[in-house]
Amino acid sequence: MSFLKKRYLSFSALCAISAMAAFCLPLTTHADEAGKCKDTKHTHLSFHSEGEISMQPNLLILHLRAEHSAANPAKAQAELNQMVAHALSNANQGQKNIAGLEIQTGDYSVNQTGSDSKSSAWSASQEISIKAPVDDTKPAQSEALLRIGGNLQNLGLSLNQIEWTLDENTKKSVTDKAIQKALEALIPEAKNAGKALGLNFISLESVNIDRPYFQGPTPRVMLMSAASNRMAKDVAPQSNPHELHISASANAVAVLGK
């Protein structure tokens, strides 16, 4: 009986020691974690940087529109088709003098005009674009393309827009450079911001890139009627290239600390 009591007391003492250890351990752990949080308190700063690349255009595009009206849709379409065929034939003659000349036909539409059947008419129209690579050191290429635009105006087409831009390969390359420039500016800007706040730069928590965009006015030409075109015969539209600005923005969250 005495032996059993001693075993029982020893077992009870052991349980008490274990309970005390289990009770003390969480207190020590929480204290350590609180100390760590106090020592590693961080500041999160949201900011953005920009990268911009400027360059001269290497592509000139003329946007034209052929249109004809008639009493019925069939006649309107027939007359329009004849006008477009004549315009394309005229433009194709520029292949001899303009390297890389491309001619494209676009949207074709036929619509009824007028408020009632007696006064209504049908209008058929089609978009045409002609483009060619250009170089600011060789203005003859762009001048020749503008002369074609003038010739097509004389045939009754309206010149809607003169667009100085970049070809797709160059546009992608320049866009990548603008993005890279914006990203390279992130860490220096984060460090400068931290210095002003008395903090050190630790890391970038997140980074987002906005869609790059192009800046620069696009010269536009007023629509001219067929009568106006005849009065302006042999007068080519005038336009000069302008510098393009391709920009990209990067938004980031920086982690700053002591």
Side-chain angles (χ1 to χ4, degrees), residues 41-43 45 189-202 255-258:
K41 186 175 181 181
H42 296 152
T43 297
L45 176 69
E189 289 195 20
K191 288 182 177 180
N192 288 335
K195 186 177 180 180
L197 297 172
L199 299 172
N200 297 318
F201 169 76
I202 297 176
V255 179
L256 307 176
K258 291 291 187 178

Side-chain angles (χ1 to χ4, degrees), residues 105-167:
T105 54
D107 294 342
Y108 188 108
S109 63
V110 180
N111 300 295
Q112 188 174 18
T113 61
S115 57
D116 55 65
S117 58
K118 293 182 179 180
S119 61
S120 66
W122 290 85
S123 176
S125 63
Q126 185 167 26
E127 307 293 333
I128 298 175
S129 65
I130 55 176
K131 60 183 178 180
V134 293
D135 186 340
D136 58 340
T137 63
K138 299 177 182 178
Q141 181 94 337
S142 57
E143 291 172 358
L145 187 60
L146 290 170
R147 280 196 297 272
I148 291 179
N151 292 339
L152 299 187
Q153 283 182 301
N154 292 334
L155 296 178
L157 280 72
S158 58
L159 179 56
N160 297 344
Q161 181 182 357
I162 299 177
E163 180 183 6
W164 297 92
T165 184
L166 301 173
D167 63 63

Side-chain angles (χ1 to χ4, degrees), residues 37-195:
C37 290
K38 185 175 180 180
D39 294 337
T40 59
K41 186 175 181 181
H42 296 152
T43 297
H44 293 77
L45 176 69
S46 298
F47 68 103
H48 82 281
S49 64
E50 294 185 355
E52 182 177 291
I53 304 293
S54 300
M55 68 178 302
Q56 289 293 323
N58 65 358
L59 184 67
L60 175 58
I61 306 176
L62 305 185
H63 300 272
L64 300 107
R65 178 184 176 90
E67 187 171 8
H68 192 83
S69 298
N72 60 73
K75 186 174 182 180
Q77 286 181 274
E79 294 291 342
L80 173 67
N81 293 343
Q82 185 176 355
M83 178 188 292
V84 170
H86 194 185
L88 296 179
S89 176
N90 187 291
N92 277 316
Q93 294 177 11
Q95 299 278 7
K96 302 175 184 178
N97 303 319
I98 303 177
L101 177 66
E102 293 184 28
I103 305 167
Q104 297 177 338
T105 54
D107 294 342
Y108 188 108
S109 63
V110 180
N111 300 295
Q112 188 174 18
T113 61
S115 57
D116 55 65
S117 58
K118 293 182 179 180
S119 61
S120 66
W122 290 85
S123 176
S125 63
Q126 185 167 26
E127 307 293 333
I128 298 175
S129 65
I130 55 176
K131 60 183 178 180
V134 293
D135 186 340
D136 58 340
T137 63
K138 299 177 182 178
Q141 181 94 337
S142 57
E143 291 172 358
L145 187 60
L146 290 170
R147 280 196 297 272
I148 291 179
N151 292 339
L152 299 187
Q153 283 182 301
N154 292 334
L155 296 178
L157 280 72
S158 58
L159 179 56
N160 297 344
Q161 181 182 357
I162 299 177
E163 180 183 6
W164 297 92
T165 184
L166 301 173
D167 63 63
E168 290 303 318
N169 290 334
T170 304
K171 189 179 294 184
K172 184 180 184 307
S173 174
V174 175
T175 297
D176 290 344
K177 290 179 181 178
I179 292 174
Q180 181 179 352
K181 195 171 183 180
L183 292 175
E184 289 175 346
L186 284 177
I187 293 180
E189 289 195 20
K191 288 182 177 180
N192 288 335
K195 186 177 180 180

